[in-house]
Amino acid sequence: MSSPYGYGGPRQDRPVGPPPGVLPPPQAAPWPPQQGQYPQQGQYPQQGQYPPRGQFGPSFGPGQFNGFQPPRRRGGGFRLVLLGFTMLIFIGISAAVLAVVLWTGADSTDTAGPEEPEVTGPSIVPTPTTTPEKGTAEDYLLNADVYRTGPLQEQNCPAANLGSGSLASQKVYYQRLFKCLNDAWRPIFKDLGQNKPDPGLVVFDQPVSTACGNFQPLSGRVLAFYCYGNQVMYVDVKQMNRAFGPQQDLAYLMTIAHEYGHHVQGVTGLFYARAVYLQDHPERKLDSSRRNELQASCFAGVFSKAVAKSYPLTDREDEFKEQSSNSFGESPSTPDDERTHGLATSQGFWIQNGYNIGANKACDTFAAPERLVQ
């Protein structure tokens, strides 16, 4: 059964603005567009310079979403504009939220639903079963170079004490962890030929204005979110305390590592490839959303492996497994049209798969069978 933090609850507390395609917060992409061919493997889509952090982009206009327009398709030519409500939802305000379901145990209403993946020791490397046309968005999603990068470098990253879970304590915790995230992922980006600035981090317990909208603490089901518009992660101190308290520090680790996973998707071009893919396959919106969110969680698992010895996680793996499988995602009773992040068991599967494999080849969720992305 979903808790108040899960999906399916009241929605009147959402921020005013275009309706979100995945529950809040929205995402924006306010940088000047630069048209060009869809990227070759290892080449990031050139969309112009990023704006200064915190600076708002232009308002929505016809045929564009805060400046972003997808590149042309090779051969047939990608459509240059994202048309219609579906893609307005996705690009303008697509959420990168790790929503929480505080699992209360199975009951008669929760036993029905899609097949749930096993969560005990997953260790798979997804392999594409189709061969899309080279250079297409689908090809990019299935065969991106990031999957061929090695493990993240081991990090010396002992966890800071969350204390009472106050703003000051959470800041110290996240800042230490955030430095480790940057240090771990920066060499991967370099290997891919990307030299992007490190993302920003805002920890808030008061109303906050962002390039993706204005947000109140304890708003809806938002724990934390990544804004593509200014490449900044935001963490709601009060919501994290209400959801977990300061004792469940592994939930804090997975939350911020998941949001950083969305930054990885932006830097590597996976975010843009998915946007373009959905132009031709709008009927795949929910399936694609789940694959996108579960991929971010898998990247979080890969990072967790890099800090396992120093955090430490090596003597807490059972706790890590339990936390990852029961705290994030959706219940089987969540309506099908709201299952955007994947079941709690699916979240656990991909976090643990990333951890067990310890390399990004574990995270090609777009190549995974449907039963593992429910």
Side-chain angles (χ1 to χ4, degrees):
M1 180 181 298
S2 296
S3 76
Y5 305 102
Y7 292 101
R11 303 186 183 183
Q12 64 271 18
D13 52 2
R14 289 184 184 177
V16 176
V22 180
L23 288 178
Q27 303 299 322
W31 53 81
Q34 176 178 326
Q35 301 301 334
Q37 295 300 312
Y38 200 74
Q40 300 289 328
Q41 292 295 335
Q43 179 183 351
Y44 187 73
Q46 297 299 312
Q47 299 297 334
Q49 298 299 311
Y50 291 101
R53 289 182 181 140
Q55 178 177 328
F56 287 70
S59 60
F60 294 105
Q64 68 173 21
F65 300 93
N66 279 11
F68 172 70
Q69 296 186 34
R72 294 185 180 90
R73 180 186 305 160
R74 183 178 299 176
F78 277 157
R79 287 193 290 272
L80 298 182
V81 294
L82 299 179
L83 299 175
F85 180 68
T86 299
M87 293 313 297
L88 171 61
I89 285 173
F90 177 72
I91 291 295
I93 52 167
S94 168
V97 180
L98 187 57
V100 63
V101 173
L102 301 185
W103 208 251
T104 58
D107 59 25
S108 59
T109 61
D110 282 349
T111 55
E115 180 182 356
E116 298 179 18
E118 294 294 329
V119 296
T120 302
S123 183
I124 67 169
V125 176
T127 303
T129 57
T130 60
T131 307
E133 180 185 350
K134 291 293 184 182
T136 62
E138 184 179 7
D139 175 52
Y140 200 85
L141 290 171
L142 291 173
N143 301 297
D145 278 346
V146 67
Y147 307 139
R148 292 187 282 276
T149 56
L152 305 187
Q153 295 177 5
E154 183 177 329
Q155 300 296 308
N156 182 18
C157 195
N161 192 331
L162 279 165
S164 64
S166 66
L167 174 65
S169 296
Q170 286 199 34
K171 273 188 175 181
V172 171
Y173 178 91
Y174 284 122
Q175 285 170 350
R176 179 177 296 181
L177 189 61
F178 201 63
K179 180 182 184 302
C180 297
L181 281 158
N182 284 325
D183 290 346
W185 283 105
R186 204 179 291 120
I188 298 295
F189 298 154
K190 183 177 179 181
D191 286 348
L192 295 172
Q194 305 306 322
N195 186 27
K196 303 297 180 184
D198 294 336
L201 173 66
V202 173
V203 182
F204 67 93
D205 64 356
Q206 299 295 325
V208 60
S209 295
T210 82
C212 293
N214 301 325
F215 298 93
Q216 300 279 340
L218 301 174
S219 176
R221 293 152 294 275
V222 178
L223 291 169
F225 61 97
Y226 174 73
C227 179
Y228 288 102
N230 58 357
Q231 302 84 54
V232 176
M233 269 162 275
Y234 298 84
V235 184
D236 184 339
V237 168
K238 294 181 179 179
Q239 191 81 295
M240 291 297 293
N241 259 329
R242 184 165 74 172
F244 302 114
Q247 291 76 36
Q248 299 185 57
D249 63 290
L250 296 186
Y252 290 70
L253 164 65
M254 284 180 263
T255 297
I256 195 66
H258 168 98
E259 298 308 332
Y260 203 101
H262 287 300
H263 178 67
V264 174
Q265 290 168 330
V267 171
T268 59
L270 289 164
F271 168 75
Y272 302 102
R274 179 175 171 247
V276 176
Y277 173 78
L278 284 176
Q279 290 182 84
D280 290 330
H281 303 279
E283 76 284 356
R284 304 292 291 175
K285 182 180 70 171
L286 283 173
D287 174 80
S288 177
S289 175
R290 290 193 296 272
R291 293 176 187 273
N292 180 67
E293 294 297 333
L294 294 168
Q295 182 176 74
S297 290
C298 182
F299 286 145
V302 173
F303 169 77
S304 297
K305 188 69 171 184
V307 300
K309 291 182 181 178
S310 59
Y311 185 86
L313 292 176
T314 49
D315 58 350
R316 301 176 67 187
E317 289 189 358
D318 287 345
E319 181 185 353
F320 180 79
K321 185 180 299 183
E322 179 71 16
Q323 186 82 67
S324 66
S325 299
N326 292 284
S327 295
F328 308 105
E330 295 147 349
S331 162
S333 61
T334 303
D336 287 348
D337 62 354
E338 293 185 22
R339 287 195 302 106
T340 55
H341 280 59
L343 296 171
T345 47
S346 297
Q347 285 283 339
F349 181 96
W350 288 104
I351 292 171
Q352 293 165 42
N353 196 58
Y355 181 86
N356 291 336
I357 297 294
N360 293 320
K361 63 184 180 181
C363 301
D364 190 355
T365 54
F366 292 95
E370 288 191 11
R371 67 184 180 86
L372 297 182
V373 292
Q374 296 300 308

